Amino acid sequence: MSYAYASCFALAGIILIIIMSARTSATIESVLITGANSGVGKECARQLSLLPQMKRIVLGCRDRVKAQEAKVDLERATRSRSTTNEMGVVFEILILDLSNIESVKGAINELTDPVDVVVMNAGGLGGKTPGRVLEDQGGFSSIFCANVAGHVVLLDGLVEAGKLSRTAIYAGSEAARGLPVMGYPKPRIETGSVDEFQSICDGSFFADSRDAKTMYAHTKYVGALWMGSASRQYPQHRMIAVSPGATSGTNSAAHMGPVVQFVQKTLLFPLLKLLGNAHGVEMGARRYVDAILDEGTYQSGHFYASDGPNKMTGGVVDQMKLLDDFGKEDYQDNA
């Protein structure tokens, strides 16, 4: 891609964001983004800072040093002179570790003012031991804590403290309805009972198997169902699950060891992009931004991801069209 073409693409994205912001009935002035120090989360912060009405973006990160580096980069990217850029956006840092419930609760207390939107972007494949049970974190598996449990605590805490006024976006994944081309199996649910979903949360569902892809697919499946239930629990808010798609430039394999990281960064994603089944962080973040701004298309309680069984990029559709489990209210409430 030439520099001129890339610049035109970026400019078109900026114009689209501004147009969509003008169409939305929402007044979005503040947002909290988890996993905001890199990848899709950081790019989402950059794109949202372009909204004319945006005033405050809170970068939720585990590591203070990396958070500060991201803050400096974002201030520079948005032509910041000090703490406020030319568009009037202030970037703040909020330290929280989604795999530690007490850290999440502490972050909620530290959040000084409410936000209009929370983007629950942090997650991943659970590191080298995704099935490890964290007894001090409610008995959930490591991968479930990082992707779902921590965000449940965050969302409930924000709403109950009156610190979320409008929309919650949860980072879904095409793996949640099965992604055979990438080796993610379709979740196998027999009864949809509370006990069955509990076994996914604590890892016992997988018996002796600790395959990260199987665990990840089922974890994201539960996460998407949870947002459906949350939409009825908090009807005054918009609750939406959105997959950023197959996105290069993320840290999803950051804790999977150097070999896995090398394969993903230098082989897998370049090949997927060559085949037209992956995109960069700009497009991944755009999916979040679209869901925040386009209230007519993105309905509360629904899960949106790529529009084909083996697709991980391109347009998005309500995933109930591909797997009707996502519309089952008993599954949602039991999850």
Side-chain angles (χ1 to χ4, degrees):
M1 181 182 292
S2 68
Y3 175 78
Y5 182 83
S7 298
C8 289
F9 180 81
L11 178 60
I14 292 172
I15 294 172
L16 180 61
I17 290 171
I18 294 174
I19 291 173
M20 289 186 65
S21 70
R23 290 179 178 176
T24 182
S25 61
T27 300
I28 307 300
E29 296 183 346
S30 57
V31 60
L32 163 62
I33 305 170
T34 68
N37 64 282
S38 64
V40 179
K42 182 179 178 183
E43 174 60 18
C44 181
R46 187 194 69 81
Q47 291 186 21
L48 288 173
S49 73
L50 301 175
L51 296 178
Q53 71 271 29
M54 185 60 65
K55 295 181 179 179
R56 172 171 163 255
I57 296 178
V58 183
L59 309 175
C61 308
R62 289 187 303 174
D63 186 284
R64 187 172 295 278
V65 173
K66 292 181 179 179
Q68 183 61 38
E69 291 173 351
K71 180 175 181 288
V72 170
D73 286 346
L74 287 164
E75 289 172 344
R76 184 182 298 118
T78 52
R79 300 179 299 283
S80 177
R81 295 294 181 262
S82 55
T83 59
T84 305
N85 70 15
E86 292 177 356
M87 295 182 181
V89 179
V90 174
F91 293 96
E92 300 177 6
I93 292 173
L94 183 68
I95 301 302
L96 78 167
D97 180 353
L98 272 303
S99 64
N100 186 302
I101 293 174
E102 291 306 313
S103 172
V104 176
K105 291 180 178 178
I108 295 169
N109 290 332
E110 285 188 30
L111 189 66
T112 54
D113 298 303
V115 293
D116 297 315
V117 177
V118 59
V119 179
M120 299 178 286
N121 166 71
L125 293 174
K128 297 179 180 179
T129 56
R132 181 168 60 96
V133 177
L134 305 179
E135 297 292 352
D136 60 342
Q137 302 299 322
F140 299 120
S141 66
S142 175
I143 192 170
F144 191 83
C145 276
N147 286 280
V148 182
H151 280 129
V152 172
V153 174
L154 176 63
L155 179 59
D156 287 348
L158 289 174
V159 175
E160 290 167 8
K163 293 185 176 182
L164 178 66
S165 65
R166 194 170 192 93
T167 300
I169 302 294
Y170 172 72
S173 170
E174 283 79 3
R177 36 86 163 161
L179 196 58
V181 70
M182 293 295 291
Y184 291 95
K186 177 181 177 181
R188 51 179 182 86
I189 303 299
E190 295 181 1
T191 66
S193 66
V194 171
D195 288 342
E196 186 171 25
F197 283 118
Q198 178 61 40
S199 70
I200 294 175
C201 302
D202 62 25
S204 60
F205 178 90
F206 308 100
D208 296 328
S209 172
R210 287 293 182 267
D211 175 66
K213 288 187 173 181
T214 300
M215 297 185 73
Y216 182 77
H218 285 76
T219 295
K220 285 297 187 180
Y221 173 86
V222 171
L225 291 172
W226 160 57
M227 288 302 281
S229 179
S231 71
R232 292 188 297 280
Q233 183 180 1
Y234 304 119
Q236 70 275 30
H237 295 78
R238 296 173 68 231
M239 301 285 167
I240 304 167
V242 182
S243 170
T247 306
S248 60
T250 71
N251 286 333
S252 60
H255 303 288
M256 297 299 291
V259 174
V260 174
Q261 292 182 53
F262 175 80
V263 170
Q264 178 168 301
K265 182 177 181 179
T266 64
L267 298 176
L268 178 60
F269 275 106
L271 178 60
L272 287 173
K273 291 185 76 173
L274 183 64
L275 296 174
N277 209 11
H279 49 238
V281 292
E282 297 85 0
M283 189 58 67
R286 179 79 58 75
R287 288 186 173 191
Y288 291 161
V289 175
D290 288 349
I292 292 170
L293 299 180
D294 190 349
E295 297 187 346
T297 300
Y298 295 86
Q299 299 298 304
S300 185
H302 292 243
F303 169 35
Y304 298 88
S306 300
D307 57 8
N310 274 312
K311 288 188 66 177
M312 298 174 286
T313 189
V316 300
V317 297
D318 189 331
Q319 294 299 285
M320 281 192 287
K321 295 181 178 180
L322 300 177
L323 183 63
D324 62 7
D325 287 12
F326 296 121
K328 296 179 179 179
E329 293 190 2
D330 57 334
Y331 277 31
Q332 295 171 357
D333 292 339
N334 290 342

